[in-house]
């Protein structure tokens, strides 16, 4: 059912690299390990990505869901 | 009943291209795959649209509902 | 009862042209098709209105309720 | 009881002219027709008031409660 | 019990002059008439206070609780 | 249990001087008298602290919990 | 299950040094003592970290969960 797709897509993304855009413009890429009903996300091997192609390693992180604008697989998928 | 129309309209838009305006001014276009009661949206073949007509492909994305200002079919519908 | 008037007024406005002012200053005019308990609104034949009298057609849209500042019939009613 | 006074005061103001200050500085004056538990307000013969004493007629409006900072009878009451 | 003190203090302040600091910097002083569980406040003989010692009379007002930063008896109490 | 520590720490701080940092940068110091489940705080002998070491006495205050960024005992404890 | 991972990761981090990024850009490092379902965090031996490598000791603190953007073990873990 279309109304249940959000968590189905998140569930299928577990173990894959996702790109997260946060409020305020921060962009983070990492391997999705888990999530919860608030869209809190756990990422492994994550890194912050900057406009000029530089990255800053963040390791394992928890992202609080209310900061998330959108979640996507990176261009080219994985 | 008029009070139940929000999700009826969303439901009828599944599989169609919708235009999403987000808080902060971001505009995204994509094929609506699903939604939930928080207005979280799943889009396929999505792209960010810029004022000067340029676009940036985003692929499959989840948009967190609390960022949404409005949702509409694109001019010309589909 | 005075405490139940919000949705009574919204209900009486269904099928009529309403003017919506959003947080951030956006002004939208359209025919109200429906609403829900979050004040999410469905509008038909909607258009964004700009200060200098210009308008931009938006067609059918869903406005997420938490962006709404006020809702009114347009000057001159309908 | 002091803890129930908010809606008692609102209830006594129905049919009277009230002054509403909104987040962002907008000031609106109108005849209170109703309210609900979110402090959504319905006003009749309302007008936006500007610093220099100018006003802009808004007619009947619904103000979404989460925009309200304070509600008061106008100086001089009614 | 320490965990129930908020409303105990508010209750003891009913009928006394309190100073309210709001988000955005507005400062209001008035006689507390009532409150509710959202920290919505009803004040009588209230006035807005400006940095330079000027005041603007507001009369009876309802302050929506989500604007409140802090509530205190005025310096010197009453 | 680690998941219940927030209110345990608050409870142990009752009667002690705590330092509160608020959204927007305001810093307040006072003797914690009570709190509730929203992290609303009641402080006695409180004062606002400014960058240059100046303070402004506030007496007894209620701080609305949603303004709080962090709570700590002052450097040197008590 | 992936959907329950947020608090599992937090639970495994108790007693370890974590890095917290807050809305507004503040960065705090400290030993995680506890958390709750709002992501309120209790940290010991905490310090605020500044861009130029300087730190400011904060001791034991409670961070209100709604300020949190992300939580991570520091580079190099512990």
């Amino acid at each position: 059912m279309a109304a249940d797709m959000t968590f189905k897509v998140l569930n299928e993304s577990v173990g894959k690299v996702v790109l997260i855009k946060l409020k305020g413009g921060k962009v983070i890429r990492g391997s999705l390990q888990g999530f919860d009903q608030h869209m809190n996300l756990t990422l492994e091997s994550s890194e912050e990505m900057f406009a000029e192609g530089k990255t800053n390693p963040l390791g394992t992180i928890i992202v609080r869901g209310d900061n998330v604008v959108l979640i996507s697989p990176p261009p080219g998928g994985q």
Side-chain angles (χ1 to χ4, degrees), chain A:
Chain A
M1 207 292 245
D4 293 329
M5 185 165 280
T6 308
F7 292 111
K8 179 173 167 290
V9 173
L10 279 175
N11 216 37
E12 290 170 359
S13 301
V14 170
K16 302 203 181 115
V17 172
V18 295
L19 192 78
I20 314 292
K21 297 198 182 185
L22 300 183
K23 285 168 190 166
K26 212 187 271 289
V27 180
I28 292 173
R29 186 168 57 185
S31 169
L32 184 66
Q33 298 304 302
F35 60 91
D36 64 22
Q37 82 276 19
H38 303 293
M39 222 179 268
N40 296 323
L41 306 170
T42 307
L43 301 175
E44 246 180 39
S45 310
S46 70
E47 54 189 1
E48 188 173 350
M49 302 176 70
F50 300 99
E52 66 276 25
K54 289 184 188 160
T55 61
N56 179 35
L58 297 169
T60 299
I61 60 171
I62 295 167
V63 178
R64 199 173 192 266
D66 72 330
N67 299 286
V68 172
V69 176
L70 61 85
I71 306 173
S72 75
Q78 196 199 33

